[in-house]
Amino acid sequence: MRTALVRRTVLTASAVSLALLGTACGAEKADPEADAKPSAPATSAAPAAKGKTAAELTPLLVTQAELPDFKVEADAAAAAAAKEKPAESDKPECKPLIQLQSYAAQGKPAGTALVAATSKPKPAAEGASMGEKLDAAMKGLSVTRTSVALNSYDGKGAEEAFTALKTAVTACAGGYTVTAEGETTKIEKVTPGAPVAGGDESLTFAVVMDLKDGDKATWQYAAVRKGGTLATFSSMNLTGDAEQPKPVIEAQVKKLG
């Protein structure tokens, strides 16, 4: 059985799979009456870092040329899913994870840019039999689709967003329940993975989801912070367990500098 949370996510991937088949400024001034003695000129506090706008983030997204083994395209479906009524959890500490699963940004970013990268299925070999071609076509549905989101923040917003995710991964290791559109989905466990190279800080983790009727699915997630920008990666597979998209993560992190 597909729950509402799963349906939201699947809708962002199905069309792609089928196609593959075929300023805050704090200048504090010295009070001249506070001390009659001559003093050095007052030093202005450094202005808070400003986050990048969507227009500034978009050129930083990975492109088709950088990921030849993937189909890279605008992630309009994820953008639409993020506008749905927010899902809820039985554990408030797990909210950051649910936001990521629902394609909603952590905190209040100054700008957001999205792209999707879907692994390309291997075509049947030249001269393959009809059975081999059908097998290749079916395997074409079992591809991992990754939604990449770049969210940029003012001040320490990116650090706070990353910390919220990291804390939730630990706090929610034993699982939690998600309610969306009146339907519940049980996340059985959250398993942390190895951090990725690059960025100022990073994390990866997997969630095991109970789809009911005995079916389960494992989806993969990653987050990498570089300065005031937080890159997140949400990976799913329509027919099985998703793979951690290392090529996508590595290419995106490299592009962030």
Side-chain angles (χ1 to χ4, degrees), residues 62-63 66-70 117 119 146 148 196 233 243-255:
V62 287
T63 65
E66 294 158 339
L67 291 172
D69 295 330
F70 293 78
S119 56
T146 299
V148 181
V196 300
F233 307 83
E243 299 176 350
Q244 193 64 266
K246 292 183 179 180
V248 179
I249 297 173
E250 291 172 355
Q252 183 60 80
V253 171
K254 181 180 179 179
K255 198 159 186 179

Side-chain angles (χ1 to χ4, degrees), residues 166-185:
K166 186 176 181 179
T167 300
V169 169
T170 300
C172 304
Y176 53 95
T177 298
V178 183
T179 301
E181 299 175 22
E183 297 181 359
T184 61
T185 301

Side-chain angles (χ1 to χ4, degrees), residues 97 100 162 165-170 190-198 201-207 218-225 230-235 243-246 248-250 253:
L97 301 184
L100 182 57
F162 181 88
L165 275 173
K166 186 176 181 179
T167 300
V169 169
T170 300
V190 180
T191 306
V196 300
E201 51 187 343
S202 67
L203 65 85
T204 65
F205 63 94
V207 300
T218 299
W219 293 355
Q220 301 286 345
Y221 297 89
V224 182
R225 182 184 67 81
L230 181 65
T232 57
F233 307 83
S234 306
S235 303
E243 299 176 350
Q244 193 64 266
K246 292 183 179 180
V248 179
I249 297 173
E250 291 172 355
V253 171

Side-chain angles (χ1 to χ4, degrees), residues 19-134:
L20 288 173
L21 280 175
T23 79
C25 176
E28 293 196 15
K29 298 181 180 180
D31 182 353
E33 297 181 1
D35 193 343
K37 297 180 181 180
S39 59
T43 302
S44 297
K50 296 292 292 181
K52 293 181 174 63
T53 64
E56 293 171 318
L57 287 171
T58 298
L60 299 178
L61 288 167
V62 287
T63 65
Q64 185 66 70
E66 294 158 339
L67 291 172
D69 295 330
F70 293 78
K71 179 178 177 61
V72 180
E73 60 186 352
D75 201 353
K83 296 178 181 179
E84 297 284 345
K85 182 179 179 180
E88 299 177 348
S89 173
D90 61 331
K91 296 181 179 180
E93 62 269 30
C94 301
K95 181 179 178 180
L97 301 184
I98 296 175
Q99 288 176 305
L100 182 57
Q101 289 175 290
S102 305
Y103 305 105
Q106 306 291 320
K108 297 181 179 181
T112 298
L114 306 169
V115 75
T118 305
S119 56
K120 291 181 180 179
K122 295 182 179 180
E126 186 176 352
S129 66
M130 181 58 69
E132 291 171 329
K133 290 180 179 179
L134 288 174

Side-chain angles (χ1 to χ4, degrees), residues 2-17 20 70 75 77-78 81 100-103 116-120 139-148 205-207 209 211 216-222 233-245 248:
R2 301 291 184 180
T3 65
L5 175 67
V6 177
R7 286 198 300 272
R8 286 186 187 183
T9 312
V10 167
L11 286 173
T12 68
S14 57
V16 177
S17 298
L20 288 173
F70 293 78
D75 201 353
L100 182 57
Q101 289 175 290
S102 305
Y103 305 105
T118 305
S119 56
K120 291 181 180 179
K139 289 181 178 179
L141 288 173
S142 185
V143 294
T144 294
R145 180 189 188 277
T146 299
S147 290
V148 181
F205 63 94
V207 300
M209 184 180 303
L211 301 180
K216 301 182 188 299
T218 299
W219 293 355
Q220 301 286 345
Y221 297 89
F233 307 83
S234 306
S235 303
M236 64 163 294
N237 188 303
L238 283 177
T239 62
D241 294 338
E243 299 176 350
Q244 193 64 266
V248 179

